[in-house]
Amino acid sequence: MPSRTQPDLIIRADAGPRIGVGHLMRCIALAESWTGTQGKVVFVTGTTRESLRKRLERGGHGLVEIPRTHPDPADLRATIDVLKDHPTAWAAVDGYAFDEAYHRGLRATGHPILALDATGHLPVYEVEALLNQNAHADLVRYHTLPRTKRLIGPSYILLRREFRARRQEERTIPPIASRILVTMGGADPGNATRRVVEALLRAKASDLQATVVVGPENPRRASLERPIRDAGARIELVAAADDMSALMDAADLAIVTGGSSVWELAYLG
């Protein structure tokens, strides 16, 4: 067995009804790539959803749960305590709530930091590496340390293993879609899923088959179950899908929000 030279990675990311699950899911993709190079990954998270915690554990990653999140000082202390147990580890931070003070607190430990970002909302990013995977990333003005490594644009897309293993060279798209996938993110705070379901119920196409995915942080699952049940076999409800790539691969048309799902769909053709 080859010796492990890759440093460990400590990931600080959350998911919830307000922020969705995107931060955590793309960090899972990062963790999969990191462990593929023999590095160990530990997630530090305030996530309370059992299905998400079990997903992290199934991936073979360490998990440290924190009861109070930033700006509560207990958050930074807990993350620093984990870093103490991994002297050469990198720290990856993904979330809009983590500000310059949080980054500086981690940097004071001597550990290198990777910040995952999409907006450039901080006045300065005092980190060793900055990752923005979006198509518009080169338009975002970042102020960083002179030595900060910038990983900018879709060349650095974080895709989970389930997608990378499924990619096909060619894909046939029918001229009239009959298999519809609806996924409005892990939380859907605007309840867009309900509006799409209502539109599908009004559709007259007899051969329409729809799969509606309700994310783990969506609090409206119960309110969606009755209209979908009344639709019979035309619409299927899937809660917290374990293999989103299979659902995407089976669909002719997808109705989604503008998050990481867009990159996943594009990768699958």
Side-chain angles (χ1 to χ4, degrees), residues 46-207:
T47 301
T48 59
R49 191 67 59 184
E50 182 68 16
S51 61
L52 292 174
R53 296 201 302 268
K54 287 184 176 179
R55 181 161 192 160
L56 297 176
E57 291 171 346
R58 285 199 306 270
H61 312 306
L63 177 61
V64 175
E65 300 175 43
I66 55 175
R68 299 186 301 277
T69 59
H70 187 71
D72 192 300
D75 183 323
L76 181 60
R77 289 198 299 267
T79 306
I80 290 175
D81 285 343
V82 176
L83 286 168
K84 289 178 181 177
D85 294 331
H86 303 267
T88 64
W90 274 71
V93 181
D94 190 347
Y96 302 129
F98 303 114
D99 53 16
E100 310 102 291
Y102 197 92
H103 291 165
R104 291 193 192 107
L106 293 181
R107 286 191 69 243
T109 67
H111 291 266
I113 302 170
L114 164 65
L116 289 82
D117 185 74
T119 63
H121 61 288
L122 297 182
V124 62
Y125 290 77
E126 297 182 15
V127 296
E128 278 63 41
L130 174 66
L131 169 61
N132 184 336
Q133 63 180 0
N134 292 307
H136 66 273
D138 59 343
L139 301 178
V140 180
R141 297 186 63 183
Y142 284 110
H143 298 282
T144 65
L145 300 172
R147 66 176 181 274
T148 299
K149 176 69 173 180
R150 300 189 183 198
L151 310 173
I152 301 297
S155 296
Y156 300 98
I157 288 293
L158 294 170
L159 289 170
R160 299 192 304 279
R161 187 180 295 123
E162 67 184 83
F163 293 98
R164 290 184 277 114
R166 189 177 288 273
R167 186 178 186 182
Q168 301 174 2
E169 292 301 321
E170 295 185 10
R171 182 182 177 91
T172 301
I173 305 296
I176 299 177
S178 61
R179 298 173 300 176
I180 312 298
L181 174 65
V182 180
T183 172
M184 294 298 172
D188 188 16
N191 202 15
T193 304
R194 180 60 182 257
R195 296 198 295 275
V196 176
V197 168
E198 291 172 349
L200 291 172
L201 292 173
R202 293 193 298 269
K204 303 301 182 182
S206 59
D207 60 344

Side-chain angles (χ1 to χ4, degrees), residues 220-234:
R220 301 182 182 88
R221 174 182 172 182
S223 67
L224 292 167
E225 288 177 341
R226 180 172 180 178
I228 289 177
R229 183 173 62 248
D230 293 345
R234 295 178 62 217

